[in-house]
């Protein structure tokens, strides 16, 4: 089919409000918007002002009231536990209403915050929807974060209730969540009044009397009592959730998502971008703790009336590199969305793609990759073995949906390897120099989005409008700074090359090296440190820490290395994958004392680098090269 992309993008450029007003017809509103966009509200404007709606109603109730009551809404497939369960939209509603009743009994009302710290169990999605039903604001915290990270989020979000589980399951080990939760609550200064705990048979936990409530027992009681909890109408501009993401310090940024714009944007993407029809089976192989899980495990597919797969497992090792193909064939998945790292892991285990041949993938149409740069090798491997289009697309936690991509629903454009293709309607992209001047096509610079951001993108940061302005809107007035560097070619294709801040992407997980430096620097024997992201064949990037000991420290440095690694795991969590800590005598710096992290990274990656003109002592670069060579890193 000829792509309708140019025509649709043009129609958005001609009249953005009309474009989104038409898209909004796909959502059920209690009250329609009085204004599609009000540029003077909030920090930079607000979408669908005056509208009243409920996200849970649109994800669940309207399908039960319509024709989809008995259609599968959610398929839980957990190769790691052996469990499989399908929930129809009617059963999903029963689960969500019961949990909403439990939350209400624990005092949760519209606007209250609820933290969800869960493994990939279906109850994580029920919890998100139950909050949405009550107009409460959820904040999901990824299970791979440690207690201290959870505590930071508790202090910032001030939740009335936390929903959690007794354990998570990783290949070869069971992670007791409850001690982490208890420790986080202990560390936090804004303690929740209660917790609701899903007891999992793999490792049940002790409960604290009066504070901890049993998920299964409480929801069962609500079902037996026939509790009915109606959807609470909220303003389209009210927050649906807060999702904390790495910023440039250890203090994460609380990205806010509103109700109305979010629904309109996600619903539009399901058909126009991903090319999925209501009733079809869709799979986002991510985790509910990340933005992909929010947008495309829970909300997007359910708003659309599709069936969403909730997968608890890994691309390899649960049990083998054929798991993805088993799920696609068994559940008749039409499209899969995952991170390139998952495919690199599969390719490593099964380079010839032999396991693919064991499965019937006839329903499968498209593979979507995002979360990190998709290297052409991985894309071409997937294309060769799947014989289906493989689509790289680019977005961020902040935007909540694709900024750029090749739209399956509007018809594909030609693929250019290394590019996530073209901007989606809603996004007017430009590339600027560091002093804000527009750059020519093919010139590398700062990628920015002309304000305002489209519906679904963050309206601000939680209780931090000033930080929002400062982090995103100040450096290039009139634009949102993506903090990605790259260029646009003569055909309007974007190329995303690197972050301009200290964020790194490890196995598709977004992490701050600044946050890790704060932890390393806190070690009592360490005077100074630098953490950089170095290239890794499997995970894309890995953090590497370089540290200088305090003078007079005579302890075994190998012991200190181990302690530093353990400290990052304990303070940030295993997800940081921090396993390289290297003692150095000196760190390269500019004459003004700024550590040359970019240059260290280039040395580690074996890339050519220019000795910065402002360097204090160029000999330190040779010292770093020697240390890295000795470790076999470069
Ligand atoms: N709870 C507790 N621990 C977790 C966790 C969770 N939810 N998720 C990951 N971890 C742990 C892992 O067990 C691992 O621990 P280890 O150091 O003891 O081995 C550590 O955190 C690092 O995890 P990860 O970087 O994911 O590495 P891995 O070796 O376990 O798996 C991949 C590598 C590529 C298979 C895996 O990262 C993957 O499937 N990625 C898919 C991409 C994805 O989901 N991206 C999200 C955005 S789309
Ligand atoms: P997150 O907020 O976790 O989704 O991470 C967002 C960041 O991941 C972006 O700012 C990019 O740096 C990177 N990223 C995401 N998708 C892509 C992609 N398709 N190509 C290159 N980088 C990407």
């Amino acid at each position: 089919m000829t792509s309708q992309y140019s025509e649709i993008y043009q129609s958005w450029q001609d009249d953005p409000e009309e474009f989104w007003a038409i898209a909004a017809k796909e959502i059920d509103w209690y009250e329609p918007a009085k204004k599609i966009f009000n540029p003077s509200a909030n920090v930079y404007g607000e979408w669908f002002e005056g509208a009243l709606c409920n996200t849970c109603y649109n994800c669940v109730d309207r399908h039960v009231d319509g024709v989809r009551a008995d259609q599968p809404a959610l398929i839980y497939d957990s190769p790691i536990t052996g469990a499989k369960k399908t929930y129809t939209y009617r059963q999903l509603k029963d689960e969500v209403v019961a949990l909403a009743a439990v939350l209400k009994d624990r005092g949760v009302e519209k606007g209250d915050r609820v933290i969800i710290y869960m493994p990939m169990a279906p109850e994580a999605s029920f919890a998100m929807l139950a909050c949405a039903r009550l107009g409460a604001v959820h904040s999901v915290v990824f299970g791979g974060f440690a207690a201290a990270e959870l505590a930071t989020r508790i202090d910032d979000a001030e939740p009335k209730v936390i929903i959690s589980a007794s354990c998570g399951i990783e290949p070869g080990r069971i992670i007791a969540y409850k001690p982490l939760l208890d420790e986080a609550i202990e560390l936090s200064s804004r303690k929740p009044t209660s917790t609701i705990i899903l007891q999992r048979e793999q490792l049940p936990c002790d409960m604290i009397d009066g504070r901890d409530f049993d998920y299964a027992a409480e929801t069962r009681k609500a079902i037996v009592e026939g509790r009915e909890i109606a959807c609470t109408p909220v303003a389209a501009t009210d927050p649906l959730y807060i999702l904390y993401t790495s910023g440039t310090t250890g203090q994460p940024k609380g990205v806010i998502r509103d109700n109305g714009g979010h629904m309109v944007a996600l619903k539009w993407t399901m058909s126009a971008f991903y090319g999925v029809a209501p009733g079809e089976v869709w799979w986002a192989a991510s985790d509910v703790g990340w933005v992909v899980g929010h947008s495309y495990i829970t909300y997007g597919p359910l708003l659309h009336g599709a069936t969403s797969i909730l997968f608890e497992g890994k691309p390899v090792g649960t049990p083998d590199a054929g798991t993805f193909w088993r799920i696609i064939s068994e559940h008749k998945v039409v499209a899969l969305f995952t991170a390139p790292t998952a495919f690199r892991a599969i390719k490593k285990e099964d380079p010839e793609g032999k396991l693919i041949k064991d499965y019937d993938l006839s329903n499968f149409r498209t593979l979507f990759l995002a979360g990190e740069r998709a290297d052409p090798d991985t894309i071409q491997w997937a294309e060769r073995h799947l014989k289906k289009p493989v689509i790289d697309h680019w977005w961020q936690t902040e935007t909540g949906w694709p900024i750029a991509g090749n739209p399956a629903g509007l018809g594909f454009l030609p693929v250019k390897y290394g590019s996530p293709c073209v901007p989606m309607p809603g996004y007017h992209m430009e590339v600027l120099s560091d002093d804000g001047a527009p750059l020519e096509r093919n010139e590398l610079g700062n990628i920015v989005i002309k304000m305002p951001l489209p519906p679904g993108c963050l309206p601000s940061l939680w209780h931090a409008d000033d930080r929002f302005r400062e982090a995103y809107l100040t450096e290039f007035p009139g634009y949102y700074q993506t903090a990605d560097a790259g260029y646009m070619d003569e055909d309007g294709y974007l190329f995303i090359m690197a972050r301009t801040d200290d964020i790194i992407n490890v196995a598709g997980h977004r992490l701050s090296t600044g946050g890790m430096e704060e932890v390393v620097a806190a070690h009592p024997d360490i005077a100074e440190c630098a953490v950089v992201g170095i290239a890794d064949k499997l995970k894309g990037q890995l953090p590497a820490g370089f540290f200088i000991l305090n003078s007079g420290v005579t302890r075994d440095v190998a012991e200190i290395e181990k302690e530093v690694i353990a400290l990052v795991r304990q303070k940030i969590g295993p997800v940081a994958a921090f396993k390289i800590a290297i003692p150095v005598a000196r760190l390269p710096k500019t004459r003004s004392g700024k550590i040359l992290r970019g240059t260290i990274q280039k040395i580690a990656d074996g890339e050519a680098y220019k000795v910065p003109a402002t360097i204090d002592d160029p000999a330190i670069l040779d010292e770093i090269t020697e240390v890295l060579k000795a470790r076999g890193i470069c």
Side-chain angles (χ1 to χ4, degrees):
M1 117 188 190
T2 323
S3 181
Q4 293 172 288
Y5 165 77
S6 301
E7 200 181 301
I8 298 289
Y9 190 77
Q10 185 65 49
S11 73
W12 164 74
Q13 282 185 308
D14 292 345
D15 192 342
E17 290 190 33
E18 177 64 8
F19 182 91
W20 293 116
I22 293 170
K25 295 201 167 109
E26 295 288 313
I27 299 301
D28 284 0
W29 307 89
Y30 300 118
E31 284 287 336
K34 296 198 170 50
K35 241 184 173 159
I36 299 300
F37 183 68
N38 177 2
S40 37
N42 206 352
V43 178
Y44 67 84
E46 277 184 336
W47 290 97
F48 305 107
E49 193 181 77
L52 287 179
C53 57
N54 183 283
T55 296
C56 181
Y57 177 79
N58 277 278
C59 287
V60 182
D61 299 51
R62 74 162 165 168
H63 302 307
V64 177
D65 298 345
V67 296
R68 301 192 186 281
D70 298 317
Q71 178 199 305
L74 213 58
I75 299 175
Y76 168 55
D77 191 312
S78 169
I80 209 150
T81 61
K84 278 186 209 173
K85 190 159 181 185
T86 298
Y87 298 85
T88 63
Y89 272 98
R90 194 195 309 277
Q91 289 164 330
L92 175 64
K93 183 176 172 196
D94 292 345
E95 296 285 349
V96 171
V97 169
L99 184 57
V102 176
L103 286 170
K104 210 173 163 70
D105 292 348
R106 304 269 53 85
V108 174
E109 289 171 13
K110 180 177 162 185
D112 287 339
R113 272 82 56 213
V114 174
I115 280 189
I116 301 170
Y117 182 60
M118 293 280 270
M120 281 294 289
E123 287 79 3
S125 283
F126 304 160
M128 295 162 85
L129 293 163
C131 292
R133 191 170 194 88
L134 296 172
V137 182
H138 64 70
S139 185
V140 184
V141 178
F142 177 62
F145 282 123
E149 288 285 328
L150 177 57
T152 310
R153 288 153 175 80
I154 296 175
D155 280 343
D156 198 66
E158 302 173 57
K160 202 172 243 181
V161 171
I162 300 185
I163 305 175
S164 188
S166 57
C167 69
I169 304 147
E170 284 291 291
R173 71 193 166 105
I174 293 179
I175 295 140
Y177 273 32
K178 187 61 176 7
L180 295 172
L181 174 66
D182 289 344
E183 189 189 337
I185 294 177
E186 186 62 37
L187 287 171
S188 64
S189 48
R190 308 282 187 157
K191 305 200 189 307
T193 48
S194 20
T195 75
I196 299 165
I197 308 290
L198 178 74
Q199 290 281 16
R200 303 189 86 192
E201 63 182 26
Q202 291 78 9
L203 183 69
C205 63
D206 292 337
M207 303 284 268
I208 297 175
D209 247 5
R211 190 200 74 181
D212 298 340
F213 293 82
D214 183 272
Y215 185 112
E218 296 292 319
T219 49
R220 209 176 308 118
K221 200 165 93 202
I223 289 173
V224 171
E225 287 170 0
R227 298 283 296 278
E228 296 213 3
I229 304 289
C231 294
T232 303
V234 296
T237 51
D238 280 342
L240 169 70
Y241 70 74
I242 308 165
L243 178 57
Y244 289 91
T245 189
S246 298
T248 46
T249 65
Q251 179 67 32
K253 295 171 177 163
V255 167
I256 301 175
R257 196 80 59 210
D258 68 11
N259 277 274
H262 178 239
M263 285 196 280
V264 173
L266 289 192
K267 178 78 173 88
W268 183 83
T269 59
M270 286 304 298
S271 49
F273 187 80
Y274 294 106
V276 170
E280 290 190 319
V281 184
W282 155 265
W283 179 22
S286 177
D287 188 289
V288 284
W290 306 116
V291 67
V292 178
H294 283 64
S295 295
Y296 294 114
I297 294 175
T298 301
Y299 290 116
L302 297 179
L303 284 166
H304 199 47
T307 301
S308 182
I309 306 270
L310 195 137
F311 169 71
E312 189 181 28
K314 301 264 174 180
V316 292
T318 59
D320 58 28
T323 299
F324 273 27
W325 325 130
R326 196 266 299 161
I327 299 241
I328 291 174
S329 117
E330 190 173 323
H331 303 298
K332 302 192 166 40
V333 171
V334 300
L336 164 66
F337 176 171
T338 190
T341 191
F343 266 73
R344 288 196 295 268
I346 295 171
K347 184 170 108 184
K348 192 167 162 225
E349 294 280 305
D350 181 19
E352 303 303 322
K354 287 192 183 124
L355 293 169
I356 299 176
K357 299 184 181 74
D358 295 345
Y359 297 93
D360 170 13
L361 305 188
S362 54
N363 292 284
F364 187 62
R365 293 197 296 262
T366 328
L367 169 65
F368 295 93
L369 299 175
E372 57 177 324
R373 187 161 189 278
D375 51 292
D377 258 13
T378 302
I379 296 189
Q380 284 161 351
W381 183 88
E383 281 176 341
R384 206 164 49 247
H385 291 288
L386 291 172
K387 301 183 177 58
K388 303 284 158 144
V390 178
I391 301 304
D392 176 15
H393 62 317
W394 168 58
W395 51 298
Q396 310 184 315
T397 303
E398 288 84 345
T399 64
W401 60 281
I403 307 169
N406 198 345
L410 302 180
F412 289 122
L413 296 165
V415 170
K416 293 194 189 189
Y417 294 108
S419 164
C421 212
V422 292
M424 286 300 100
Y427 299 99
H428 174 110
M429 308 304 300
E430 290 188 28
V431 183
L432 303 180
S433 68
D434 286 348
D435 45 22
L439 292 174
E440 297 291 321
R441 294 292 168 113
N442 294 308
E443 271 193 289
L444 188 70
N446 299 281
I447 306 184
V448 295
I449 304 169
K450 193 156 187 278
M451 294 299 283
L453 295 170
C457 291
L458 80 173
S460 189
L461 295 174
W462 181 249
H463 287 167
D465 287 348
D466 285 345
R467 187 175 182 198
F468 174 61
R469 284 192 193 92
E470 206 180 298
Y472 300 102
L473 307 180
T474 307
E475 190 162 347
F476 302 107
Y479 297 93
Y480 165 92
Q481 179 186 3
T482 63
D484 277 312
Y487 61 93
M488 190 184 266
D489 78 0
E490 54 289 345
D491 298 322
Y493 280 53
L494 283 159
F495 289 76
I496 314 299
M497 307 309 288
R499 288 286 299 197
T500 57
D501 57 11
D502 72 344
I503 299 296
I504 57 169
N505 236 301
V506 180
H509 310 320
R510 172 169 160 175
L511 296 159
S512 154
T513 53
M516 293 185 218
E517 284 183 6
E518 284 176 26
V519 175
V520 177
H523 188 287
D525 292 334
I526 288 181
E528 201 176 7
C529 70
V531 177
V532 302
I534 63 173
D536 180 74
K537 277 206 168 67
L538 174 64
K539 296 194 178 187
Q541 281 184 300
L542 275 181
F546 299 81
F547 62 89
I548 302 175
L549 291 176
N550 285 321
S551 59
V553 173
T554 52
R555 296 179 53 217
D556 179 5
V557 74
E559 276 307 303
I560 299 177
E561 266 183 55
K562 279 191 206 142
E563 287 166 15
V564 168
I565 289 169
L567 202 60
V568 176
R569 194 175 173 95
Q570 183 207 336
K571 295 280 181 203
I572 297 179
V575 69
F578 184 88
K579 296 190 175 159
I580 306 169
I582 307 176
V584 290
R586 303 188 293 169
L587 284 165
K589 288 185 185 170
T590 61
R591 280 189 286 275
S592 59
K594 219 170 152 236
I595 299 175
L596 292 161
R597 294 178 178 79
T599 314
I600 303 179
Q601 180 186 337
K602 283 203 164 71
I603 297 174
D605 292 350
E607 283 178 27
Y609 64 92
K610 275 199 200 124
V611 177
T614 54
I615 194 164
D616 187 29
D617 181 355
I620 304 177
L621 298 180
D622 297 332
E623 292 170 20
I624 297 283
T625 308
E626 286 314 308
V627 170
L628 286 166
K629 273 193 182 145
R631 300 257 174 163
I633 292 178
C634 74

